[in-house]
Amino acid sequence: MNKTKNIYDLIRTNNTGVLSTYCNKNHGFPYGSFLPYVHIHQFDIIILISDIAEHTKNLNEFKKFSFVINEDNYKSPFEAKRLCLQGIAKKTNQEEFRLRYERFFPESVMYRDFADFNYWLLEVKHIRYIGGFGNMFWEDVKINKFEYEIYKFENEILEHINQDHQDALANYIDFFHNKKNINNTLIGFDSIGINIMSDNKNYRINFLEEVTSFDQIRRTFKKLSDHVKKEK
């Protein structure tokens, strides 16, 4: 797996991290706190915060941020994969961002009617990845246009799979996560995998191959389904 896929995998497998912003109130000392997030586009993430939150006050003055994501399941904290995202934060209330966030965090629907809660897009410019001893590097973001285009078709893909392929979702959850459940919802799709909501828990499943074109999407799902049926 190359450097980019390592970064994708860590960002898209997890959904919580620590946001740090420049705190002018305390003479520029970084202010950090634990936040849920949803991945979008290439390396970018979406967060939901209140206008009265310290982060909002800080970002309104200084748009730069860092966001640390740590591997959840590890034998030793010294061996855990982790990364730091650095970039520019932009307040946004685009409908596609809200809908995607609510699919991953259904409980966030309650904040729709709160005028002082807003979505922020954290646009990543630089990444520091640490994958273990001797495996660490800096990566400057190089835009992959397909990673942005693919999300325009996400809702169509989710609707089709959720309506016509519930059996496949059940097989994925059973095979990759050893969980038997017939009521599953595909909530996210990207170039290297999918996210399935099962019993109110988000499960990540990676494809056997990376999707690099729209013509490849159907074949990639079929290859994953065939693999599961063969190995079960």
Side-chain angles (χ1 to χ4, degrees):
M1 185 175 284
N2 61 34
K3 291 181 178 180
T4 300
K5 287 185 179 180
N6 280 330
I7 296 170
Y8 282 164
D9 194 47
L10 193 52
I11 294 175
R12 299 174 186 188
T13 300
N14 295 278
N15 56 22
T16 56
V18 176
L19 173 66
S20 293
T21 53
Y22 180 95
C23 187
N24 197 39
K25 175 182 178 181
N26 289 330
H27 313 291
F29 283 102
Y31 170 76
S33 68
F34 188 76
L35 283 176
Y37 73 87
V38 172
H39 65 271
I40 188 74
H41 298 152
Q42 195 169 355
F43 305 107
D44 301 339
I45 61 178
I46 310 163
I47 59 172
L48 174 64
I49 49 177
S50 167
D51 288 345
I52 64 173
E54 289 297 321
H55 282 309
T56 300
K57 297 173 185 177
N58 295 342
L59 291 172
N60 282 334
E61 293 188 40
F62 196 76
K63 303 298 184 186
K64 294 181 179 178
F65 71 87
S66 72
F67 197 93
V68 174
I69 300 170
N70 193 79
E71 182 181 23
D72 279 338
N73 299 315
Y74 53 82
K75 294 180 180 179
S76 165
F78 297 101
E79 299 175 358
K81 298 174 184 176
R82 52 208 182 269
L83 56 77
C84 177
L85 309 175
Q86 298 177 331
I88 305 298
K90 297 179 180 180
K91 184 185 290 187
T92 175
N93 285 316
Q94 287 189 35
E95 184 74 358
E96 63 175 298
F97 293 160
R98 179 184 65 79
L99 291 174
R100 183 170 175 80
Y101 193 94
E102 289 179 354
R103 286 200 302 270
F104 280 71
F105 298 107
E107 62 273 27
S108 68
V109 172
M110 65 177 288
Y111 295 107
R112 277 188 191 175
D113 298 328
F114 288 71
D116 62 336
F117 272 80
N118 289 282
Y119 291 96
W120 287 75
L121 176 65
L122 304 189
E123 293 187 341
V124 177
K125 306 298 182 183
H126 312 286
I127 301 168
R128 178 63 172 175
Y129 177 89
I130 302 174
F133 184 78
N135 180 18
M136 55 195 73
F137 56 85
W138 280 99
E139 186 85 345
D140 292 331
V141 173
K142 300 175 182 65
I143 299 300
N144 179 338
K145 291 183 179 180
F146 180 71
E147 278 290 328
Y148 285 76
E149 291 293 320
I150 201 171
Y151 286 99
K152 295 179 181 180
F153 296 88
E154 183 181 35
N155 288 335
E156 180 181 336
I157 293 169
L158 300 186
E159 183 178 353
H160 170 68
I161 298 295
N162 285 324
Q163 286 185 356
D164 299 337
H165 298 284
Q166 277 293 318
D167 55 338
L169 296 180
N171 286 337
Y172 298 159
I173 288 292
D174 183 16
F175 182 78
F176 290 102
H177 293 282
N178 195 28
K179 178 179 176 60
K180 296 189 181 298
N181 187 17
I182 61 172
N183 297 313
N184 304 288
T185 304
L186 185 64
I187 60 171
F189 164 82
D190 56 70
S191 65
I192 66 167
I194 55 177
N195 290 81
I196 299 175
M197 188 70 72
S198 183
D199 283 344
N200 298 316
K201 184 176 180 180
N202 176 8
Y203 293 90
R204 176 71 182 180
I205 296 169
N206 284 340
F207 293 134
L208 302 180
E209 61 183 11
E210 182 179 0
V211 178
T212 57
S213 69
F214 294 110
D215 294 337
Q216 188 186 348
I217 294 175
R218 184 182 297 274
R219 186 181 76 229
T220 300
F221 272 104
K222 185 178 186 305
K223 189 173 182 179
L224 184 65
S225 295
D226 290 345
H227 172 75
V228 169
K229 291 176 183 177
K230 179 180 178 182
E231 297 297 328
K232 282 184 71 174

